[in-house]
Amino acid sequence: MNDVASPAATLPEVDAAGLAAALSDHSLPLLVEYMADHCVWCQRLEPVLAAAQPKFDGRLRMLKVNVERHPEVKPTDHPRAVPTIALYRQGRMIMTKSGMIQRQQLDVFLNHWLDPANDGLA
């Protein structure tokens, strides 16, 4: 399986207000990629996330926050390293993973945390 989506495939980018709005919408869990333009690993991770998006459609929302372009995102709102993905359920962060992640690892990570049997885990 190819880990790379088309170059045009990207996650929607939000600022602090957009992140707050997404976190207040509890209809689906939310995966946020915290990234920066200068980060090579962020550039490599985004196509992996974008390629996974259709597989988890209807079970998960995905977006990104560029921590350089949106410095109004408070340090407590995001991890210190980029790239980091954070999974939120009911507006609460339940898990983070920093660094590059391959598509198969991402699938395992998401399938585990989206499993209803793990609803009480955080």
Side-chain angles (χ1 to χ4, degrees):
M1 180 179 276
N2 190 351
D3 278 352
V4 179
S6 69
T10 62
L11 300 179
E13 184 175 325
V14 297
D15 58 12
L19 178 59
L23 289 171
S24 68
D25 176 1
H26 297 169
S27 61
L28 291 173
L30 175 68
L31 181 80
V32 178
E33 175 195 15
Y34 293 95
M35 51 79 65
D37 289 329
H38 75 275
C39 171
V40 172
W41 294 111
C42 299
Q43 294 166 15
R44 292 182 181 176
L45 178 60
E46 178 141 357
V48 173
L49 295 172
Q53 199 168 17
K55 180 176 181 177
F56 293 96
D57 190 35
R59 295 175 56 205
L60 176 72
R61 295 172 297 133
M62 293 185 184
L63 54 84
K64 68 181 176 183
V65 174
N66 185 319
V67 297
E68 290 178 329
R69 241 186 308 224
H70 303 291
E72 72 276 12
V73 176
K74 297 175 188 167
T76 57
D77 292 340
H78 65 82
R80 296 174 192 249
V82 290
T84 293
I85 57 173
L87 185 61
Y88 296 87
R89 189 182 297 131
Q90 301 293 317
R92 188 170 142 234
M93 184 186 298
I94 60 168
M95 183 59 68
T96 64
K97 192 162 192 61
S98 294
M100 182 62 188
I101 185 171
Q102 297 299 319
R103 175 69 190 269
Q104 291 171 325
Q105 295 170 311
L106 179 64
D107 286 353
V108 169
F109 174 82
L110 291 176
N111 281 320
H112 172 78
W113 289 106
L114 294 175
D115 185 335
N118 295 324
D119 258 358
L121 300 177

